[in-house]
Amino acid sequence: MLKLSFAILALCVSSVFSTPVKKRALAAIYSSCIKDNDVALTFDDGPYIYEQDISDTLTQYGAKGTFFVNGDNWACIYDPDMASQVVHAYNAGHQFGSHTWQHQDLSTLSWDNVHDQMWRTEQALQKIIGVSPAFMRPPYGNYNDNVRAAAANRNQSLVLWDFDSGDSTGSSVSQSEQAYTNLLNTWPDNILPLNHETYETTAHDILPWLLQQLNDRGYNMVTLATCLGKSPYKKEGTTYQPSPRDNSWVCGSTNSK
Ligand SMILES: [Zn+2]
């Protein structure tokens, strides 16, 4: 009898401890392209005044790029000039991802505030170009499980990079070009470089030089989604349509949702 009690007790204890704890799903994190010979040029922190120039230079070289935009950082995404640059680049076939609303360090924010930073930028892209991004690049590359769970909840993957041009950390044009040259001389299979669309030198000096170098070496300059073999935008059974401008197209405290 005692033996049986122990057996029952053991069974109960083991069943309690073997009950799987329901884990939150965590978003996938990509930091490199998957396909050989692909280069996915990414441009963060816009939209800003050079976005249309970057889009046109990419197009001139037969290249596609990816813009990870904020809503309210260097400029407000709803400003008529900014919104029209986003439309221009989107219509040229470039990809848009989210860099969240105000470029805050998501790893320091609460669950609700992480969602708020994500949601506002997604809503802006839905209104301006009628898409909801499937990829989010966390500002500063900083994330934790809270951020990954929030992104998974929103059907998004996280994207980092495997090469930093240094444009946002003080590199001169020649230093950035030398860093790219050093990288290219190793003949990498593919590259996922971080650039920032907010620097004139990135838009007007480094980019045309880089595109020529990549062309000469036979790389395909593609969107992030293409180099990962994934869809660039969420498919939630909803087809978003760009909306006409209304009084919700503002940044700041009045843009409450
Ligand atoms: Zn950034």
Side-chain angles (χ1 to χ4, degrees):
M1 185 60 192
L2 196 62
K3 254 186 190 171
L4 188 63
S5 300
F6 271 125
I8 291 169
L9 185 67
L11 201 65
C12 290
V13 168
S14 77
S15 72
V16 165
F17 283 98
S18 65
T19 302
V21 178
K22 196 162 185 244
K23 283 194 175 168
R24 293 188 298 178
L26 299 179
I29 304 169
Y30 297 99
S31 55
S32 290
C33 291
I34 289 169
K35 297 183 178 176
D36 280 357
N37 225 38
D38 279 355
V39 176
L41 295 170
T42 63
F43 302 90
D44 287 13
D45 291 8
Y48 198 51
I49 54 177
Y50 310 117
E51 187 168 283
Q52 186 160 332
D53 291 351
I54 291 172
S55 169
D56 291 347
T57 302
L58 288 166
T59 300
Q60 187 189 329
Y61 282 84
K64 301 292 186 214
T66 302
F67 296 91
F68 284 100
V69 291
N70 295 120
D72 187 11
N73 187 15
W74 285 61
C76 171
I77 195 169
Y78 288 120
D79 285 351
D81 182 46
M82 295 302 132
S84 76
Q85 298 211 37
V86 170
V87 169
H88 179 91
Y90 176 73
N91 286 343
H94 307 303
Q95 182 183 342
F96 278 83
S98 170
H99 199 36
T100 74
W101 189 247
Q102 288 167 312
H103 210 277
Q104 296 184 11
D105 181 345
L106 300 179
S107 68
T108 67
L109 300 183
S110 69
W111 173 256
D112 285 351
N113 286 340
V114 167
H115 274 291
D116 190 57
Q117 289 291 313
M118 292 176 168
W119 157 247
R120 288 178 186 229
T121 298
E122 290 164 41
Q123 185 191 47
L125 288 173
Q126 287 169 25
K127 287 182 177 183
I128 295 167
I129 50 176
V131 298
S132 190
F135 294 95
M136 188 277 289
R137 174 170 281 162
Y140 315 103
N142 288 354
Y143 62 87
N144 54 17
D145 279 359
N146 190 49
V147 174
R148 287 182 72 184
N153 205 252
R154 310 188 67 79
N155 295 318
Q156 285 183 323
S157 300
L158 270 57
V159 183
L160 302 175
W161 55 87
D162 58 19
F163 176 80
D164 183 347
S165 72
D167 60 355
S168 73
T169 50
S171 292
S172 66
V173 170
S174 62
Q175 285 170 330
S176 283
E177 290 181 355
Q178 188 59 55
Y180 268 116
T181 299
N182 294 344
L183 172 71
L184 293 172
N185 284 344
T186 69
W187 289 96
D189 290 338
N190 49 52
I191 322 175
L192 174 46
L194 170 67
N195 308 275
H196 293 80
E197 63 165 288
T198 48
Y199 297 98
E200 183 173 14
T201 46
T202 293
H204 295 159
D205 299 323
I206 298 169
L207 182 60
W209 171 88
L210 176 61
L211 289 168
Q212 188 62 55
Q213 299 294 316
L214 294 170
N215 251 347
D216 290 348
R217 287 168 167 80
Y219 283 106
N220 302 316
M221 288 92 83
V222 299
T223 63
L224 172 79
T226 298
C227 95
L228 293 176
K230 304 275 184 192
S231 173
Y233 304 113
K234 295 184 201 179
K235 298 221 188 330
E236 297 171 322
T238 309
T239 305
Y240 300 107
Q241 293 293 331
S243 334
R245 175 175 289 275
D246 61 27
N247 61 12
S248 73
W249 288 42
V250 289
C251 293
S253 58
T254 49
N255 185 40
S256 60
K257 250 252 161 179

